[in-house]
């Protein structure tokens, strides 16, 4: 078995784009994301609500402020590495500002944000794409973590229902 090595920051040009990263890193393997994020509308407020998509049963409600950073992370089912998306609360929307992952493959958007590699992890910042909510099918098998300003203890993902469609939204 051949072990893959990851490029370091010093190996990459300063003006790295996603397209160049794919070429430079040689990562063209297909990636099937079993827990894709889909997005829906929401209301305004100063709380982050975690609820069931269909029944709207609320599982958690935590206070947030404009500028709070919400992280939504999981272990990717194929790559077996952590994927983390970070959103900034902007009133009644969540602004995707950063995403981090270890493997880059097919199906990834190409020309968005500023791409770098930090300690072997691909980091894309300056995305600034607004979402009204984050939707996913929750699974206890992928070690979901939800953070508010770095605190992953406010919403315990292990206590959320398994194999159910959930959403996070300002409300």
């Amino acid at each position: 078995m051949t072990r893959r090595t990851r490029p370091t920051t010093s190996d990459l040009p300063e003006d790295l784009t996603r397209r160049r990263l794919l070429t430079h890193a040689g990562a063209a393997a297909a990636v099937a994301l079993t827990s894709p994020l889909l997005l829906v509308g929401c209301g305004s407020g100063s709380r982050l609500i975690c609820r069931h998509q269909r029944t709207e049963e609320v599982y958690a409600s935590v206070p947030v402020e404009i500028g709070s950073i919400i992280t939504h992370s999981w272990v990717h089912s194929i790559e077996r590495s952590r994927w983390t998306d970070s959103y900034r609360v902007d009133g009644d929307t969540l602004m995707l500002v950063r995403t981090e992952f270890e493997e880059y493959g097919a199906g990834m958007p190409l020309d968005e944000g500023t791409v770098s590699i930090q300690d072997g992890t691909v980091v894309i910042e300056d995305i600034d794409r607004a979402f009204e909510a984050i939707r996913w099918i929750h699974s206890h098998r992928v070690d979901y973590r939800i953070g508010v300003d770095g605190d992953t203890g406010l919403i315990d993902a292990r206590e959320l229902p398994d194999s159910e469609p959930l959403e996070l939204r300002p409300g």
Side-chain angles (χ1 to χ4, degrees):
M1 176 185 275
T2 304
R3 184 178 173 103
R4 290 186 286 178
T5 59
R6 296 189 183 129
T8 64
T9 305
S10 62
D11 296 333
L12 299 171
E14 284 186 35
D15 63 339
L16 184 66
T17 65
R18 287 183 186 217
R19 197 174 309 278
R20 284 194 185 121
L21 177 64
L22 282 174
T23 302
H24 193 76
V31 175
L33 185 62
T34 60
S35 299
L37 295 178
L38 302 172
L39 305 152
V40 298
C42 69
S44 62
S46 60
R47 301 194 71 75
L48 180 69
I49 308 295
C50 180
R51 70 182 193 181
H52 196 280
Q53 291 177 34
R54 290 189 303 266
T55 68
E56 298 184 3
E57 179 180 353
V58 174
Y59 301 108
S61 174
V62 296
V64 292
E65 297 176 6
I66 300 292
S68 289
I69 299 297
I70 309 304
T71 54
H72 183 253
S73 100
W74 63 95
V75 174
H76 192 281
S77 63
I78 295 182
E79 300 299 333
R80 302 284 187 228
S81 60
R82 183 151 299 279
W83 184 302
T84 302
D85 288 334
S86 298
Y87 300 82
R88 183 182 65 242
V89 176
D90 280 351
D92 62 352
T93 62
L94 297 172
M95 184 73 71
L96 178 63
V97 294
R98 178 183 173 110
T99 188
E100 305 174 35
F101 48 89
E102 291 183 19
E103 301 292 330
Y104 200 99
M108 299 293 301
L110 290 174
D111 296 318
E112 184 174 37
T114 305
V115 180
S116 64
I117 295 183
Q118 300 173 15
D119 297 324
T121 299
V122 177
V123 176
I124 304 171
E125 298 176 290
D126 307 317
I127 300 168
D128 296 329
R129 187 172 3 134
F131 295 107
E132 295 174 339
I134 304 165
R135 283 187 148 186
W136 76 102
I137 305 299
H138 191 70
S139 173
H140 290 168
R141 293 179 298 280
V142 297
D143 189 21
Y144 271 102
R145 295 180 191 164
I146 299 167
V148 177
D149 292 328
D151 187 346
T152 57
L154 296 174
I155 299 176
D156 187 349
R158 296 169 300 180
E159 297 296 320
L160 298 174
D162 190 34
S163 302
E164 292 292 333
L166 303 182
E167 65 183 12
L168 286 171
R169 62 173 55 234

